[in-house]
Amino acid sequence: TDDTDDTVPPPPPPPYDGRGDLCHVLEHEEDRVVVRILKTRKHWGLSRDSDDSDDDSDDDDAPGVLSDEDQGYVEYRKYELEEIADMVVKGNELEATFGRGNATEVREIKFASKEEAQECHGQLMALQTLLQQRATARLQAFRESQQTKTTNETQTKDETGGSTAKSRDIVTTDAVMDENVQLLVEIVSCSNLPIADIKSTDPYVTVFFGTKEVHRTKSIAKTTNPIWTVDNGSLFVLAKTAEEFFKTASGLTFFVKDYDGLSHNETIGKVMISQQDLLTCKGDRIDYPIVPEGDFTKRASRLFPKLTLRVRKAAPRDVTFMKQLLKIKKSSSSATAAEYLEESFVSPKVESVKLFKKESKKGDDGNTLYRIKPRPDPTRPEADTKWMAKETIQTEHVKQSSHWIEAGSGKLGKLYFEVLRCDGLPNKDKGLSMGGQTDAFCAIVYEDAIVNTDVINDELDPRWMPWTQRAFCFHMQHPSSQVLLGVLDYDSSKGMNSHDAIGRVSIDVTNFRGDTDYILTYDLYKSVLNEDRPKVGKITVRLRIEWKNYRDVVMSALRAPTFNYVNVNSKNEFQTTFFVCNGDENVQELNMDALK
């Protein structure tokens, strides 16, 4: 539903005309079923007579206006039939899951009566059955063609003396059923894309086989004519059994999207290629027109954007090459991460958050459940860790961390350091126009390493869960090096604003025993020099030290720690690190305040 102008009520939606079974409409094999959800069209400004056709600029400018029979309504959502699942009729409502991949949502669509809801459910089920029958027919035709091809090859060998007539009888349908369909797909480029941001577009492509994502390229910044290479994800192999390949109704769907680091990524348009077309491709470069979606429909009307692809049957050497390429990328990624950590800076990890997102809800037992931030455990079912009671959160967040980041270049031993929680932080976002609370993250400086935790949005008592970026393994250079820890409020703006400092603490690890787990709580302060400094909250950490050789520890303690110089990439990162090391004051500055 949507707000409308009360003075000009929209006409009622077209009534159900009782045409019965809609399956007869799908006359051609390539016909697709698209389900549209409409919403009431907004009426801007003064109303006018609908018969006045002298000036139709309002209709032309309104996005998503439909045909005359749907006047008064605009397209709100549009789904392929295979994107609709789990349909259940509840009274005069039809509940179903819409979407594909991770972008699914459960919606309840209301009808005028229970009979109409049941009729719509029946029509959709009948259409899905028809598409399944067509998929089965395509699979059977493929098997027959493969069997014919195999038989012909066997006969050719027999004529040349390569086999006997008896060997031909071995070729059966069961043998063809086990054959895989392997395609090498190259995403070459896009051309004439509409501008998605203020001045340009940051395009990338996601590829779905049916409703499951099978590939994603990297985004290319600020271009409407992107070209992808092997380095940014142009190649992938689609490997499916014959049953899996022909089970879906749409084959491969390529979504061209615009990457946005601050909000959701917009879909510019899509290209759909059926199974039959994929099998007939021979590796030639083909330009496919991109069908614009949403707000881009009008923007792209005169641009004629295209997606260029190459598709062919994957040879065994192609499969081997892709496996080796994936292995090289993984090893290269690990090497890059290790080198990056040796340079000693890990940025804070922040998740994009929708405004006015629900933070809590009532559970089935009546207890209040809270949304887990910044995300649920990716290794467990989402329903298990997306919402938790307060007692469960307290128990869960102190469990052993599942993901560790190694940093530092020392060889003396290892310091395992985990940030568990903060309590009683001040609200640094109070008074802002968008509301909200402190977006807390922790920055840790240890010897030649600087690391940051995940950002926990809108929490004054944040808890870092075991699967988040909270656990770090520092390679130690000296036994008396201190852990410098700061808590800050994350500022997502790209201007000159720095993250708001909250408090810091210095942890001396000299007297901690080796091979012993410590859970420690410290008060946070902004100032280092002020004796009357106020507390700004508490932080709880867990640490453990493992020495390689105690003799080396004793010998290294006789020497003074070495100075470490660490480079950071921006002024914001420098200011964050400076606060963690020095607090609000610059203790190295020569002035009377520092001397006091």
Side-chain angles (χ1 to χ4, degrees):
T1 61
D2 205 344
D3 295 333
T4 61
D5 187 350
D6 294 334
T7 61
V8 186
Y16 173 66
D17 58 8
R19 288 179 293 179
D21 188 9
L22 294 177
C23 294
H24 70 280
V25 179
L26 300 180
E27 299 177 353
H28 305 287
E29 180 69 22
E30 62 274 12
D31 287 343
R32 298 183 295 110
V33 180
V34 177
V35 178
R36 299 185 305 174
I37 299 178
L38 310 181
K39 68 175 181 178
T40 306
R41 180 185 175 192
K42 289 184 177 180
H43 292 261
W44 303 100
L46 298 175
S47 62
R48 58 176 185 166
D49 189 356
S50 59
D51 295 333
D52 184 8
S53 58
D54 293 338
D55 182 9
D56 58 355
S57 58
D58 290 341
D59 291 340
D60 293 339
D61 292 339
V65 176
L66 303 179
S67 59
D68 293 338
E69 63 203 29
D70 294 331
Q71 281 298 321
Y73 291 85
V74 294
E75 187 176 281
Y76 179 60
R77 292 284 193 273
K78 182 168 64 175
Y79 299 98
E80 300 286 332
L81 184 59
E82 64 181 348
E83 295 180 289
I84 305 175
D86 304 328
M87 291 183 289
V88 178
V89 176
K90 297 180 178 180
N92 65 333
E93 296 180 352
L94 174 61
E95 180 183 292
T97 302
F98 296 86
R100 67 177 78 209
N102 295 327
T104 58
E105 56 185 0
V106 177
R107 288 189 169 273
E108 296 177 348
I109 302 178
K110 295 183 178 181
F111 292 82
S113 64
K114 179 179 180 180
E115 290 71 20
E116 288 193 6
Q118 292 175 338
E119 179 67 21
C120 180
H121 178 264
Q123 294 283 7
L124 293 177
M125 293 297 295
L127 291 170
Q128 287 184 342
T129 301
L130 175 62
L131 294 183
Q132 292 173 358
Q133 293 172 351
R134 289 187 173 182
T136 303
R138 289 194 297 267
L139 173 61
Q140 185 61 30
F142 172 77
R143 287 174 172 171
E144 292 175 357
S145 65
Q146 291 296 102
Q147 186 171 359
T148 301
K149 179 180 177 181
T150 305
T151 303
N152 293 337
E153 290 176 352
T154 305
Q155 290 176 346
T156 302
K157 290 182 180 180
D158 187 29
E159 293 173 358
T160 58
S163 62
T164 63
K166 184 177 179 180
S167 66
R168 292 199 301 269
D169 298 334
I170 301 177
V171 180
T172 64
T173 302
D174 292 336
V176 179
M177 287 175 61
D178 295 332
E179 183 174 344
N180 293 335
V181 176
Q182 293 184 328
L183 298 173
L184 179 65
V185 182
E186 180 183 4
I187 302 171
V188 180
S189 63
C190 285
S191 58
N192 301 329
L193 294 179
I195 294 177
D197 300 325
I198 298 176
K199 294 183 178 180
S200 188
T201 304
D202 305 319
Y204 69 99
V205 179
T206 58
V207 187
F208 282 81
F209 182 74
T211 58
K212 294 184 178 180
E213 183 176 337
V214 294
H215 184 67
R216 177 181 297 224
T217 69
K218 293 182 180 179
S219 62
I220 301 179
K222 298 180 180 180
T223 179
T224 56
N225 297 284
I227 298 176
W228 285 276
T229 64
V230 174
D231 290 335
N232 49 31
S234 64
L235 287 175
F236 73 96
V237 170
L238 179 69
K240 299 289 181 181
T241 64
E243 290 85 349
E244 293 172 337
F245 185 73
F246 289 99
K247 183 179 180 180
T248 66
S250 58
L252 283 180
T253 304
F254 298 79
F255 289 92
V256 182
K257 297 188 174 184
D258 170 60
Y259 174 77
D260 194 327
L262 297 179
S263 61
H264 69 283
N265 302 329
E266 295 181 284
T267 299
I268 297 174
K270 66 181 179 181
V271 171
M272 303 182 69
I273 307 177
S274 65
Q275 292 94 330
Q276 293 88 334
D277 292 339
L278 289 171
L279 293 176
T280 57
C281 291
K282 303 297 182 183
D284 298 328
R285 176 179 174 137
I286 302 177
D287 294 334
Y288 293 91
I290 298 175
V291 180
E293 292 202 346
D295 294 339
F296 294 97
T297 303
K298 187 172 182 179
R299 300 189 210 175
S301 59
R302 299 181 182 179
L303 295 175
F304 306 105
K306 294 180 180 179
L307 173 65
T308 302
L309 304 172
R310 286 193 182 101
V311 182
R312 63 174 172 84
K313 183 179 179 181
R317 65 178 182 273
D318 297 324
V319 178
T320 302
F321 170 78
M322 291 304 300
K323 289 181 179 179
Q324 293 176 346
L325 179 63
L326 182 60
K327 185 177 180 180
I328 291 173
K329 283 187 174 182
K330 286 184 177 180
S331 61
S332 175
S333 175
S334 300
T336 302
E339 181 180 353
Y340 183 64
L341 297 182
E342 188 175 353
E343 292 183 0
S344 301
F345 191 86
V346 178
S347 300
K349 192 173 181 181
V350 59
E351 299 276 340
S352 59
V353 178
K354 295 181 179 179
L355 295 176
F356 313 115
K357 199 172 186 179
K358 181 187 289 187
E359 299 289 337
S360 63
K361 69 175 185 178
K362 287 290 184 181
D364 295 335
D365 56 357
N367 293 328
T368 302
L369 302 179
Y370 298 89
R371 181 183 296 276
I372 298 303
K373 301 175 182 179
R375 57 191 169 274
D377 188 351
T379 64
R380 294 156 64 181
E382 182 176 307
D384 292 349
T385 58
K386 186 174 182 180
W387 300 91
M388 289 186 183
K390 186 171 292 186
E391 297 77 12
T392 307
I393 294 175
Q394 291 295 101
T395 304
E396 190 78 18
H397 88 281
V398 296
K399 292 183 179 180
Q400 198 68 24
S401 297
S402 58
H403 175 67
W404 291 82
I405 295 177
E406 296 192 32
S409 59
K411 298 181 180 179
L412 193 63
K414 293 182 178 180
L415 169 63
Y416 294 90
F417 191 89
E418 299 168 88
V419 179
L420 299 181
R421 63 179 178 269
C422 288
D423 295 283
L425 298 181
N427 187 1
K428 305 298 289 188
D429 290 343
K430 185 177 181 180
L432 297 181
S433 58
M434 298 306 295
Q437 296 182 346
T438 297
D439 304 325
F441 75 98
C442 297
I444 303 107
V445 179
Y446 182 77
E447 294 180 339
D448 61 343
I450 304 172
V451 296
N452 294 269
T453 67
D454 273 328
V455 178
I456 307 296
N457 292 288
D458 297 327
E459 285 290 342
L460 302 182
D461 301 304
R463 265 58 179 161
W464 282 268
M465 306 305 282
W467 53 85
T468 61
Q469 183 172 298
R470 72 168 193 182
F472 308 94
C473 176
F474 297 106
H475 294 259
M476 305 175 67
Q477 296 178 355
H478 198 275
S480 62
S481 297
Q482 292 187 334
V483 179
L484 304 176
L485 172 63
V487 181
L488 300 98
D489 172 51
Y490 187 84
D491 186 357
S492 60
S493 64
K494 295 184 178 181
M496 299 301 293
N497 294 335
S498 60
H499 305 309
D500 295 327
I502 297 177
R504 63 176 297 279
V505 65
S506 176
I507 302 175
D508 186 358
V509 301
T510 305
N511 296 323
F512 291 143
R513 294 176 179 269
D515 301 322
T516 303
D517 291 329
Y518 293 88
I519 296 181
L520 309 165
T521 300
Y522 296 93
D523 292 325
L524 295 171
Y525 302 91
K526 289 190 68 174
S527 173
V528 176
L529 303 176
N530 187 2
E531 295 181 355
D532 298 326
R533 54 188 180 175
K535 298 178 183 179
V536 289
K538 295 178 179 291
I539 188 168
T540 301
V541 300
R542 179 165 56 200
L543 61 84
R544 176 186 178 89
I545 298 176
E546 293 181 359
W547 302 113
K548 288 186 177 181
N549 187 299
Y550 279 101
R551 181 181 180 277
D552 293 339
V553 174
V554 175
M555 296 302 296
S556 62
L558 301 177
R559 301 187 301 268
T562 60
F563 283 97
N564 293 288
Y565 298 90
V566 180
N567 294 324
V568 292
N569 297 322
S570 66
K571 180 179 179 180
N572 201 347
E573 295 169 353
F574 174 81
Q575 291 173 334
T576 296
T577 306
F578 189 89
F579 168 76
V580 173
C581 296
N582 301 286
D584 268 354
E585 303 89 354
N586 185 355
V587 296
Q588 298 178 358
E589 184 179 5
L590 297 178
N591 57 31
M592 294 306 296
D593 292 334
L595 292 176
K596 292 177 182 179

